[in-house]
């Protein structure tokens, strides 16, 4: 339905206006299928935007040398939430694009990424997440958690009327 195209377009637009904080494009195979790389990659990319954030990430890695193998909730806390606190207003509002979450190797009943985000959603202030996925059970279950229900908006591409889709494709091709 075009979820990856949408995510790529939004990431490129955010990059042009200097609003993209980080992106992670999941894939069915290879490193990009490893759910444990999402928050570590996001933390690295955010550290390029703020020296205070970067120093807090380095400190977290020194204190937790195996953080890259920790569960997603701990990675989010130590590599993103706590560095956000340390950076304060130095790290401005930005977008985090995570595409094709359903393609990651995540066999939990609820996506570990969404479960982690639900635990810390109130502390992610300046970060605006765009997450794309097919409607698969563990991702759907993640978005049904109360913390995420209260703080997210869903936009199912399958509900876009086909006449609008055809118009947009024709416009793009012209």
């Amino acid at each position: 339905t075009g979820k990856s195209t949408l995510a790529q377009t939004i990431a490129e637009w955010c990059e042009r206006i200097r609003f993209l904080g980080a992106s992670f494009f999941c894939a069915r195979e290879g490193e990009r299928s490893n759910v444990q790389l999402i928050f570590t990659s996001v933390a690295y990319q955010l550290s390029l935007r703020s020296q205070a954030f970067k120093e807090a990430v380095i400190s977290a890695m020194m204190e937790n040398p195996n953080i890259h193998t920790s569960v997603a909730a701990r990675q989010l806390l130590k590599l993103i939430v706590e560095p956000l606190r340390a950076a304060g207003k130095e790290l401005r509002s930005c977008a985090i694009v995570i595409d094709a979450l359903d393609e990651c190797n995540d066999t939990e009943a609820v996506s570990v990424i969404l479960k982690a985000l639900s635990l810390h959603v109130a502390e992610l202030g300046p970060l605006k997440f765009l997450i794309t996925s097919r409607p698969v059970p563990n991702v759907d279950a993640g978005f049904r958690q109360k913390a995420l229900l209260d703080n997210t908006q869903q936009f199912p591409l399958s509900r876009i009327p086909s006449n609008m889709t055809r118009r947009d494709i024709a416009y793009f091709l012209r």
Side-chain angles (χ1 to χ4, degrees), residues 17-166:
I17 65 168
R18 300 185 190 281
F19 190 69
L20 184 64
S23 62
F24 192 92
F25 288 80
C26 304
R28 289 191 198 287
E29 297 175 7
E31 283 191 338
R32 294 186 307 142
S33 69
N34 185 348
V35 73
Q36 287 197 289
L37 294 178
I38 294 176
F39 291 138
T40 56
S41 296
V42 168
Y44 168 75
Q45 292 172 62
L46 289 174
S47 72
L48 300 174
R49 297 177 62 94
S50 161
Q51 186 62 33
F53 187 93
K54 180 180 184 176
E55 290 169 7
V57 168
I58 291 169
S59 177
M61 292 171 65
M62 299 289 275
E63 292 171 14
N64 307 278
N66 294 318
I67 193 72
H68 65 285
T69 61
S70 294
V71 296
R74 183 162 173 75
Q75 286 182 351
L76 179 61
L77 175 66
K78 295 296 181 182
L79 297 176
I80 297 174
V81 172
E82 290 178 357
L84 277 173
R85 284 186 208 134
K89 297 207 184 285
E90 184 181 309
L91 186 67
R92 296 187 318 264
S93 184
C94 59
I96 309 297
V97 176
I98 301 173
D99 177 53
L101 186 58
D102 59 295
E103 294 186 13
C104 276
N105 294 331
D106 183 356
T107 58
E108 297 291 319
V110 176
S111 164
V112 295
I113 296 300
L114 297 177
K115 194 184 303 181
L117 288 170
S118 73
L119 293 172
H120 299 288
V121 69
E123 302 168 280
L124 294 170
L127 306 181
K128 311 301 177 200
F129 284 82
L130 171 70
I131 301 171
T132 68
S133 174
R134 289 183 182 91
V136 296
N138 70 332
V139 173
D140 286 347
F143 279 112
R144 284 194 303 271
Q145 294 179 93
K146 176 136 178 56
L148 291 185
L149 271 176
D150 294 343
N151 290 286
T152 61
Q153 296 176 0
Q154 290 192 21
F155 186 72
L157 296 178
S158 61
R159 292 191 187 147
I160 298 173
S162 60
N163 64 327
M164 289 180 74
T165 304
R166 279 193 299 277

